[in-house]
Amino acid sequence: MRVSVPTIPHVLTTASNAPISQAVAVERIAQFLSPGNVALLTGAGVSVDSGIRAYRGKDGRYMNPNYQLRSYLGYPPVRDALPNTTHCAFAALQYTSYVSRLITQNVDGLHKKAIAHVWDDNLISKRILELHGSLHVCFHGHVVDRDTFQDWISTYNPYWKDYVVGLEATGQKPRTNPDGDVELEGVSYDDFVVPKCPQCALEGRHNTNQKPAVIFFGESIPVAVRNRSFHDVEQSDRLFIVGTTLATFSAFRLVQRAVKLGKPVLLLNVGPTRGDGLPGVEKIEIPAANVMWDVVRTILGTRFAADPVIVDLSKKGIYNPPSDS
């Protein structure tokens, strides 16, 4: 499957849902999730409160060394980002089995971070699917930890290492997008060196370019990932969608699949989406951070205060949206 990003129809970008109060939104979402066995599909909007801006477009591909430099500069803020209150609320719903499967379009790993102290890696891999990959590993035939790859880039590019150190020392942060890319102006890329994979070189491979384990626009999603995403939707009783415009077909087709199977679908997103007006899709427009912990509290009742894991999760989570988001 190839990742395509169609334009959201103009009629949808100008339409707006009727205003809804926070109390009514909480009640409706809780009612939707209470039966359990919910598949949750998330997008970049969920991570905005962790300081990661929503995706800006389809610029930057790993084949261009310019992307490798921008990603080198942009990866540390994504690596260091912490789960926000919405991530932690979803983790509570996963822990209590109301959300049985989570599919995320995000590559920041924050859903995994939010529940890592509750679930082991094996359970996390079974219950969380990163539809478009992850920034935290690089590979070209061989898996390389992303932090190791960052060290390789620093070794090959001392000037850019000093540049990063200078940014950190002055507290400056380039504008970072969800894919770990940054926006730079007036910068020359001519002297940037992309490291080669040592193992590939030892094996005599001619193509030693490396890339993050991320699906870029125009690339194909692995068949196994596509099949797993369909399976997760099919095995769930309903689909809850949060923080996404559903612009990528890899995500939108999951909504189509759920609708075709007659499953209830609820979309929580501020602003237009590709799912707006789709028969069988109900939409609520209100920020997830404003309602999700109240939703958890409503669903769990007395267990909310009695379960130490839930209490701990309710105290975690940052709220640090970008100043220009």
Side-chain angles (χ1 to χ4, degrees), residues 23-43:
V24 172
V26 168
E27 181 181 5
R28 177 63 193 114
I29 298 169
Q31 181 185 48
F32 182 85
L33 298 178
S34 289
N37 196 26
V38 178
L40 171 61
L41 174 63
T42 68

Side-chain angles (χ1 to χ4, degrees), residues 175-254:
R175 180 187 175 95
T176 303
N177 298 299
D179 58 358
D181 199 356
V182 299
E183 296 180 4
L184 297 174
E185 296 181 0
V187 172
S188 172
Y189 302 93
D190 294 342
D191 61 349
F192 184 75
V193 179
V194 179
K196 296 182 178 180
C197 171
Q199 188 61 37
C200 287
L202 288 174
E203 295 177 3
R205 294 172 63 109
H206 295 294
N207 185 355
T208 56
N209 288 333
Q210 297 189 79
K211 67 181 288 286
V214 171
I215 304 299
F216 290 96
F217 293 102
E219 293 186 319
S220 296
I221 290 177
V223 173
V225 174
R226 179 198 64 191
N227 292 344
R228 161 82 181 273
S229 68
F230 285 148
H231 176 269
D232 285 355
V233 170
E234 291 164 359
Q235 294 301 307
S236 302
D237 293 330
R238 53 194 58 224
L239 179 62
F240 185 38
I241 308 158
V242 184
T244 175
T245 63
L246 296 171
T248 62
F249 190 63
S250 55
F252 182 63
R253 69 185 299 164
L254 298 180

Side-chain angles (χ1 to χ4, degrees), residues 13-66:
T13 63
T14 57
S16 177
N17 277 28
I20 185 172
S21 71
Q22 182 169 323
V24 172
V26 168
E27 181 181 5
R28 177 63 193 114
I29 298 169
Q31 181 185 48
F32 182 85
L33 298 178
S34 289
N37 196 26
V38 178
L40 171 61
L41 174 63
T42 68
V46 170
S47 291
V48 169
D49 291 341
S50 291
I52 301 175
R53 292 171 177 84
Y55 194 71
R56 58 171 168 73
K58 56 181 179 180
D59 299 330
R61 291 182 52 139
Y62 76 91
M63 288 80 82
N64 184 341
N66 294 356

Side-chain angles (χ1 to χ4, degrees), residues 136-146 152 197 199 210 213:
H136 296 278
V137 292
C138 295
F139 72 96
H140 186 87
H142 306 99
V143 175
V144 180
D145 178 81
R146 179 56 192 254
W152 290 353
C197 171
Q199 188 61 37
Q210 297 189 79

Side-chain angles (χ1 to χ4, degrees), residues 89-99 102 111 115 119 127-128:
F90 289 154
L93 292 171
Q94 291 176 278
Y95 163 71
T96 52
S97 297
Y98 286 94
V99 169
L102 190 153
H111 284 298
I115 203 166
W119 286 354
R127 300 292 183 85
I128 298 178

